[in-house]
Amino acid sequence: MKELLKIENLSKSYTSQNVSTGVLENLNLTVCENEFICILGPSGCGKSTLLRCIAGFEDYTGSIMCNGKLVKNSSTERIMVFQDYNQLFPWKTVEKNIQYPLKLKGIKDKAELKKISDKYLKKVGLDGYQKFYPHELSGGMKQRVAIARALALKPEIILMDEPFAALDAMTRNNLQKELYKISTQEQVTVIFITHNIQEAITLGTRVLLMNKQGQIVVDDINTIKKPVKPSSEGYGAMWDKFSQALEKASVVTN
């Protein structure tokens, strides 16, 4: 597979009241096209910060290369989907939320904009909701719109920061299945943050684990056949491995 993203010696710290706190430390990662990478780790280990660096929202030391170019700023080739339901513009309809970034990208033709927004709303199961406003949608539906908006921009990478964390179990399971199906259809690379081992094993073609020091300590290819179920061969062993590794990764060492 073609190398898409290469991170070398990535470090990030924040300074508050003249005290510097390290979040990421000499992190290295290579991502290839069409991978679905899930990243586990204890709270505060730098998972979200890693995504923000890849997205171009944060400064950092080290290097992040996407398609051979140094990441310095945000770009539509790397789109972020957040956990927060309120990432949509509340004053715009569903279709206008999807069309707005397309207009910023230079697409002005109304018929073309409608064609694109209709296509991706249908992909996420929201055909017919074009004229609805965000306040008229459930949390799961809002996340579907956010995913449709991201896909419509045809990014190289979609960065997802616990997008399903606040959803009920049934909605979450349904969206997991749909997201994986869409990612394979669209041939888009996904880097997905989660605290949920089941979610990581279900979605990931590759599962990473970060420790409290902001380092990747486990990087496993997930060979379990999709769709993944708890009864799938290898599921129990992978669950046990990451459960034990997560417990160990939660310990802060000097």
Side-chain angles (χ1 to χ4, degrees), residues 97-108:
N97 262 283
I98 296 172
Q99 292 171 7
Y100 179 72
L102 294 171
K103 289 180 180 179
L104 294 181
K105 201 175 179 181
I107 301 175
K108 303 299 182 183

Side-chain angles (χ1 to χ4, degrees), residues 212-231:
K212 275 286 190 179
Q213 288 69 48
Q215 302 162 327
I216 295 172
V217 291
V218 181
D219 184 346
D220 275 7
I221 300 296
N222 184 3
T223 59
I224 301 173
K225 186 178 178 180
K226 306 289 190 204
V228 175
K229 300 177 182 178
S231 58

Side-chain angles (χ1 to χ4, degrees), residues 143-154:
Q143 291 300 69
R144 290 172 190 261
V145 177
I147 292 168
R149 183 173 62 181
L151 289 167
L153 288 165
K154 291 199 168 293

